[in-house]
Amino acid sequence: MSQATRILLALVAGIALGIAAVAFDKDWALRVTGVTQPIGEAWLHGLQMVIVPLIVGLLVTGIAATAEAARAGRIAGRAVVLFVVVLWCTTLMSALVMPLLLDLWPLPEAWSVALRSALTATAPLGKVPTLADFFATIVPTNVVAAASGDAFLPLTVFTLAFAFAITRLEDAARQRLTDLFQAITDAMLVIIGWVLKLAPIGIFALAYGVGARTGAAAFGALIHYIVMVSAIGLIVLLAAYPVARFAGGVPLRRFARAVAPAQAVAISTQSSLASLPAMLKGSAEIGVAPATAGIVLPVAVAIFRATSPAMNLAVALYVAHWLGVPIGPGQLAAGIATAAITTMGSVSLPGTVSFFASVAPVAFAMGVPIEALGLLVAVETVPDLFRTVGNVTMDVAVTGVVGKRD
């Protein structure tokens, strides 16, 4: 049995047991949450404690890899520019579309209230930041204070500047620093691996409390979440077709036929890397020279994920909707910037790890509590299908654009 299956079963079992316990003896069931809730929160804190060094390490190594790719030649440099444009466009799309989807099909108020009361550790809401607050806080005055206060956008801005400064150093110094941050990242991933081995226990403990306090509303809310976040991934996937047609000059039917085998591999493996051979073949079928595709697609697989910033922001916006957190223009701007920037550092991570490492900084930047992420990671399998297929489809589309101009 895979770890993802164990995590999902732990979620279902925890919620179901919580519901059954309340039906048997409500007072006793709620007293039990006094034991299960701290266990779940301790597991969640285990993931949270590595986020700052992990994000810093991933950003430094990700920017270093991006800079190396851009220096590799004209084709690679143009591909990097196009992928950065795609990342920002998909993020802005998510910021506009996700609130509209939630307005069209909101989470039922009774479910929202019940779920809000179930997450007892969520912090009280403060003042909604304005756009002026966003610009006033985007550059940190003290990077150590930003890190200790989970102020991820200012920390990200500093790390981005630091990473680009490293790329301007001499080769030996640049390599030493890059190796150092790669080692830090690897160590953090080892710790996360240990924490994730305990995920079924932690998620079961969190899920029991949610089931005891909300009843069947928890299952309905999770289905609602899967549909909403997957919809954002589907939009990115579908957007690849007009990109290929209008920017790459590839007829829609021809592009659809060429990319279909890579999509099939992506669905079956949930891995962009495993889909690379099929993507190379599909790029050749839409007229991209093998030499060009051989440069662009490995860069895409190694550094970029077209769906990640859009879907990471969508998760944070969904949790805000779930918990009734008002999102002002300053918070939304912070979420957009954090999602678009940090995605370049998290692409090499396994799905379960990348979910928390990518979404938590966005949620922190927007002032959205992250307790719900411990439950949502258990149902990430379905949205992750849309992430992978959308990434693969957009990678081939952008390769077609680069190939047209080559």
Side-chain angles (χ1 to χ4, degrees), residues 31-43:
R31 282 199 301 272
V32 171
T33 62
V35 176
T36 60
Q37 194 70 26
I39 293 173
E41 289 173 10
W43 173 77

Side-chain angles (χ1 to χ4, degrees), residues 97-113 115-116 217 220-225 227-228 317-318 320-323:
V97 173
M98 190 63 178
L100 292 177
L101 292 177
L102 289 170
D103 285 341
L104 289 172
W105 187 27
L107 185 67
E109 182 62 24
W111 294 4
S112 182
V113 171
L115 290 164
R116 206 173 306 157
L222 290 172
I223 293 172
H224 185 264
Y225 161 80
V227 172
M228 285 294 179
L317 289 171
Y318 187 91
H321 175 77
W322 175 348
L323 300 179

Side-chain angles (χ1 to χ4, degrees), residues 92 127-139 153 327-337 365:
L92 290 169
K127 173 181 172 287
V128 178
T130 64
L131 200 56
D133 294 328
F134 165 76
F135 286 109
T137 59
I138 189 172
V139 179
L153 182 57
I327 300 297
Q331 286 169 293
L332 189 59
I336 291 169

